Amino acid sequence: MSLRINDEAPDFTAETSEGTVNFHEWMGDGWAMLFSHPKDFTPVCATELSEVAKINSEFQKRSCKVIGLSVDKVDDHKRWAADIEQLAGTELNFPIIADENLSVAKLYDMLPAESGDSSEGRTAADNATVRSVFLVGPDKRIKMNLTYPMSSGRNFDELLRVLDSCQITANHRVATPANWEKGEDVIILPSINNEAAQELFPDGWETVTPYLRKVKDPTS
């Protein structure tokens, strides 16, 4: 099953480093970021997990929970947590899914169906495609997904930026331009005509082209 933006994020129940989690129930009414890893005790992934541990408070400020996934067992995750804590300077403060039967990786189309049903004997290279990020909204629908190669560490400042962008769209009916940062001008959605825009943005806007109308960041 191929997953696209606005598809419902598949629900699942899985064992994690913090116990059993039902994904949709665990999310509650907020946002969630699921980011996956091909194997425990891999260098790039260790730096990523430690970075998220360090900046998890930034996700929490945005009412967004984070959850990792790695194709290994809970006991492996718990041993790996010591390395992550050493790198981060703080303890692991979010759950990591133990996808030892590959079920969640397959459910999210990160591994093909014929990959088997066990992490035993599989290397990081075998699981190279389990390097995706899914941002899920309160409606349980996918708002963003990205897949990275194993050699490229993910940019979590960018993922926070995308989260900010998705949230401002959800709450204020605006889009964000290229390289947008929080506080900069935003764009009135094309689906909103000028009459409706006047009610939403009574202070007016800058018309760059008929379809590009810039307005101040309503959250700043």
Side-chain angles (χ1 to χ4, degrees):
M1 178 180 65
S2 179
L3 293 175
R4 299 177 177 86
I5 287 176
N6 291 327
D7 284 348
E8 182 173 301
D11 196 14
F12 58 85
T13 299
E15 295 303 312
T16 80
S17 56
E18 296 184 0
T20 304
V21 163
N22 174 269
F23 184 53
H24 284 186
E25 182 179 311
W26 172 83
M27 279 187 63
D29 297 327
W31 294 69
M33 186 188 75
L34 186 158
F35 65 115
S36 62
H37 308 272
K39 193 78 177 168
D40 289 5
F41 305 104
T42 51
V44 174
C45 295
T47 66
E48 292 174 330
L49 289 164
S50 65
E51 178 64 17
V52 175
K54 286 189 286 188
I55 66 169
N56 194 9
S57 61
E58 291 298 322
F59 287 98
Q60 292 172 347
K61 287 177 188 176
R62 295 159 171 84
S63 299
C64 182
K65 293 181 176 180
V66 294
I67 188 166
L69 177 151
S70 188
V71 182
D72 265 314
K73 300 177 180 180
V74 169
D75 287 346
D76 293 324
H77 291 357
K78 290 181 176 179
R79 289 191 295 113
W80 196 20
D83 294 346
I84 294 161
E85 182 174 349
Q86 181 181 358
L87 287 167
T90 185
E91 65 181 10
L92 186 66
N93 48 26
F94 56 89
I96 306 176
I97 297 162
D99 198 27
E100 61 179 297
N101 63 4
L102 316 183
S103 60
V104 181
K106 291 179 184 178
L107 187 63
Y108 275 75
D109 196 33
M110 295 184 284
L111 284 175
E114 59 270 20
S115 296
D117 57 6
S118 174
S119 62
E120 291 293 333
R122 295 181 66 86
T123 67
D126 295 326
N127 305 328
T129 52
V130 188
R131 286 278 295 160
S132 295
V133 183
F134 294 89
L135 179 64
V136 183
D139 58 359
K140 309 300 186 288
R141 295 193 175 274
I142 295 169
K143 306 303 179 183
M144 180 277 298
N145 65 330
L146 292 168
T147 301
Y148 283 68
M150 286 197 299
S151 56
S152 299
R154 284 168 273 200
N155 185 328
F156 288 93
D157 289 336
E158 167 63 8
L159 294 174
L160 284 170
R161 192 190 77 90
V162 173
L163 174 57
D164 285 336
S165 175
C166 289
Q167 290 186 337
I168 201 172
T169 297
N171 296 328
H172 298 283
R173 302 178 72 185
V174 294
T176 57
N179 300 324
W180 175 82
E181 298 288 346
K182 196 171 179 65
E184 297 178 350
D185 287 354
V186 293
I187 298 168
I188 300 172
L189 292 177
S191 59
I192 300 172
N193 61 32
N194 284 343
E195 182 179 356
Q198 189 61 54
E199 294 184 13
L200 291 169
F201 310 102
D203 292 336
W205 57 84
E206 176 190 354
T207 301
V208 181
T209 70
Y211 56 85
L212 177 52
R213 296 163 294 170
K214 295 172 66 176
V215 68
K216 298 296 184 184
D217 181 343
T219 66
S220 62

